[in-house]
């Protein structure tokens, strides 16, 4: 008995010693394996912090749901509704504010429930342990859970409960790769936190347990059951308990939000603008960006059989200089070959889109829209051979006016105009319009310069056309909302020349020879120009109305040729749709027409005065004052024939602003058909005022007024206008 007792005592003593050794070994290995926790959870956000870009309406542009962390949609704890905080804590860790990182009571209760049902019914991870799991993802084993518990204890010794809970609310995983309650609220309910109902807050809290399964659109029964259980634990929201599947589905009407993606636009900002701000408001319209991306993809799909692989589109408000859409799409969206490269910025040959600038330069030299140019076969020496210029239709029209040549984008008249104006002069003008890719001597380009054999990109081309749209003023477009509007502004063309070119580009009859009636005839007055490079490898369409400008390019970035595609058959339809979207909530006006342009009736073919009795082949043409043809008869001056009041218009009604001093409220009266030294006498009711030149500033006075004007040349009365009635209130 004594021996047996000794043996039993020895064995018992060995078990105790073994247990003690095991505990010491476990503790030592645990301490050895534990990783040091962060001093602050903010370090994690700092490591992944980046500037948040939003569109002009406040919608995020660079949100991505593929990051390891939510870096764009974070919220401070005091900004989260108190009920939502309470619901999340109750659902995930009801003793969060009382334990030190591990909740042993919850673990014992979970173990009991799981053993009783012989399956995993519930877990017992605290919020702090879940934060550790986010920071250090590990395989889910008993050992890793053991480590997470002690690392959570260490975390709570280094970081406050407030910081842990704030981090958790911003980073907790939800369905569809969303992280944090802000992204989840937007994804499931399309609303911000402050506008959520208590039911929706309960749903957000309940989803955390199984985010991929418990969603409003997936398993409504299980989600409703979880919401009811949470409501009971919170002892609130009795109306939730009465919900059934029918009225629950009516209450929950999630609307999936569509993420705006503008990677090329944001990459451009990152390369060109240095800033340390955490949030930047851009000029982009996210909704328009999405719509135009769909338009461009659909158009690309329609042209797929014609070997069109990539397209880009830029839309802007040229009155403010703000870029509204920057779209690049490719036929192969699963590869980075074409989609990585920004087709808005890559230099390409612009084709005939350079012709408006050439003819604008000709107008500067004294040409007119009625100047005639030969459209006949033309040959030019190129190295050791000859190049034969021809029009797209392979048809020549003989003598044509500048309006007809530009409207129909005829080639031989453009080359002849370049020869008359000078290639060097044209290159210098293009440089003032932002063209930069002149890496060869001017002589290298030859007559092809008129047809667009120099390279530019879509952004530069649209900015250059912006000068024609904006009364001759060239400026760089802006991409940030708070940048100055008139940065780099320069008057490259006179307002009259820009207005006349715009008038030609919007004249449907002027392009009827080559284009006929079709997609280029917009419902509102719109200046439009297409271009196609040789091959064809590049097709372009640039258009602008009274407010917006849109440019589009289609082609292949590997220089593959397209089949039977031109500017008018490729990108033009996308541009037309873009204007429909831009103008859907407004009524466009006509293009600005300079009041300093004068009108004369001319022969449509020759550009000179129509012959007597010719009523079939004549039309009206606009001329810049001083370049109009001399049609005067009987010694009467040309100015006298054109003398009329441009401003004010008949029955004009004005209102005086009581907030502005009376002496600063003036109206500019304007007449046409006068020279710089002519004297004008303005008859306003019973008062007479004299001015030199075409304009006069009149101080507004209330009442109904009659305005007339008299033209004096060398103190001789030459002409008098009829009276115009206006009302000032």
């Amino acid at each position: 008995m004594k021996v047996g007792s000794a043996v039993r005592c020895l064995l018992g003593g060995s078990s105790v010693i073994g247990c003690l050794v095991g505990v010491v070994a476990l503790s030592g290995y645990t301490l050895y394996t534990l990783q040091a926790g962060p001093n602050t959870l903010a370090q994690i956000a700092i490591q992944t912090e980046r500037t948040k870009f939003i569109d002009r309406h406040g919608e995020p542009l660079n949100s991505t749901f593929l990051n390891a962390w939510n870096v764009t949609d974070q919220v401070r704890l005091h900004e989260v509704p108190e009920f939502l905080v309470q619901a999340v804590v109750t659902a995930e860790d009801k003793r969060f504010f009382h334990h030190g990182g591990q909740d042993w009571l919850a673990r014992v209760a979970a173990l009991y429930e799981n053993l009783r049902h012989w399956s995993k019914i519930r877990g017992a991870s605290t919020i702090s342990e879940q934060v550790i799991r986010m920071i250090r993802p590990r395989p889910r084993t008993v050992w890793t859970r053991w480590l997470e518990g002690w690392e959570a204890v260490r975390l709570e010794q280094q970081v406050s409960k407030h910081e842990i809970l704030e981090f958790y609310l911003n980073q907790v995983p939800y369905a569809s790769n969303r992280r944090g309650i802000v992204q989840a609220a937007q994804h499931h309910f399309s609303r911000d936190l402050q506008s959520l109902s208590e039911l929706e807050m309960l749903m957000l809290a309940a989803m955390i347990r199984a985010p991929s399964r418990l969603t409003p659109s997936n398993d409504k029964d299980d989600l409703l059951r979880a919401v009811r259980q949470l409501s009971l634990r919170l002892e609130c929201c009795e109306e939730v308990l009465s919900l059934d599947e029918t009225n629950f589905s009516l209450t929950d009407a999630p609307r999936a939000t569509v993420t705006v993606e503008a990677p090329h636009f944001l990459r451009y900002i990152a390369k060109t603008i240095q800033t340390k701000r955490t949030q930047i408001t851009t000029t982009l319209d996210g909704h328009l960006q999405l719509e135009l991306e769909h338009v461009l993809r659909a158009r690309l799909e329609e042209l797929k059989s014609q070997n069109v692989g990539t397209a880009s589109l830029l839309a802007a408000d040229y009155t403010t200089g703000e870029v509204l859409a920057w779209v690049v799409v490719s036929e192969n969206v699963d590869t980075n070959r074409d989609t990585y490269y920004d087709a808005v910025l890559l230099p390409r040959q612009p084709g005939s889109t350079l012709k408006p600038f050439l003819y604008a330069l000709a107008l500067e030299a004294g040409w007119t829209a009625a100047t005639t140019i030969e459209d006949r076969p033309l040959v030019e020496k190129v190295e050791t051979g000859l190049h034969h210029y021809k029009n797209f239709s392979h048809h020549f029209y003989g003598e044509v006016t500048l309006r007809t040549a530009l409207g129909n984008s005829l080639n031989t008249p453009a080359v002849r105009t370049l020869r008359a104006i000078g290639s060097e002069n044209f290159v210098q003008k293009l440089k003032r319009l932002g063209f930069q890719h002149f890496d060869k001597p001017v002589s290298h380009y030859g007559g092809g310069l008129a047809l667009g054999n120099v390279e530019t990109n879509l952004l530069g081309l649209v900015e250059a056309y912006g000068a024609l749209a904006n009364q001759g003023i060239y400026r760089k477009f802006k991409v940030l909302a708070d940048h100055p509007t008139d940065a780099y502004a320069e008057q490259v063309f006179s307002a009259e020349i820009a207005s006349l070119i715009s008038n030609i580009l919007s004249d449907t009859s002027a392009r009827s020879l080559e284009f006929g009636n079709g997609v280029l005839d917009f419902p509102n007055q719109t200046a439009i120009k297409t271009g196609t490079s040789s091959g064809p490898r590049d097709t372009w369409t640039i258009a602008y109305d009274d407010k917006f400008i849109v440019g589009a390019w289609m082609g292949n970035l590997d220089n593959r040729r397209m089949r039977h595609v031109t500017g008018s058959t490729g990108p033009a339809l996308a541009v037309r749709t873009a204007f429909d979207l831009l103008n859907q909530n407004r009524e466009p006006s006509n293009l600005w027409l300079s009041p300093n342009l004068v009108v004369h009736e001319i022969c449509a073919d020759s550009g000179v005065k129509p012959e007597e009795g010719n009523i079939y082949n004549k039309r009206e043409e606009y001329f810049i004052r001083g370049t109009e043809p001399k049609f005067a008869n009987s010694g009467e001056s040309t100015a006298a024939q054109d003398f009329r009041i441009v401003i004010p218009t008949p029955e004009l009604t004005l209102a005086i602003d009581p907030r502005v001093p009376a002496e600063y409220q003036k109206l500019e009266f304007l007449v046409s058909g006068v020279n710089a030294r002519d004297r004008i006498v303005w008859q306003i009711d019973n008062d007479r005022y004299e001015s030199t030149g075409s304009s006069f500033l009149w101080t507004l006075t209330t009442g109904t007024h009659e305005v007339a004007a008299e033209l004096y040349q060398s103190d001789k009365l030459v002409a008098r206008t009829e009276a115009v009635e206006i009302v000032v209130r």
Side-chain angles (χ1 to χ4, degrees), residues 370-372 399-401 404 602-608 617-619:
T371 298
T372 56
E399 293 282 342
V400 296
T401 63
T404 299
I602 64 169
C603 174
D605 294 330
S606 65
V608 300
N617 194 28
K618 62 181 181 180
R619 61 176 174 82

Side-chain angles (χ1 to χ4, degrees), residues 30 36 48 72 122 138 155 313 322 340 345 380 537 566 654:
T30 300
T48 57
T72 57
R122 57 179 290 186
R138 299 181 176 111
L155 176 67
L313 184 146
E322 295 175 328
Y340 177 81
L345 297 177
E380 183 177 73
R537 292 183 174 86
T566 65
L654 303 170

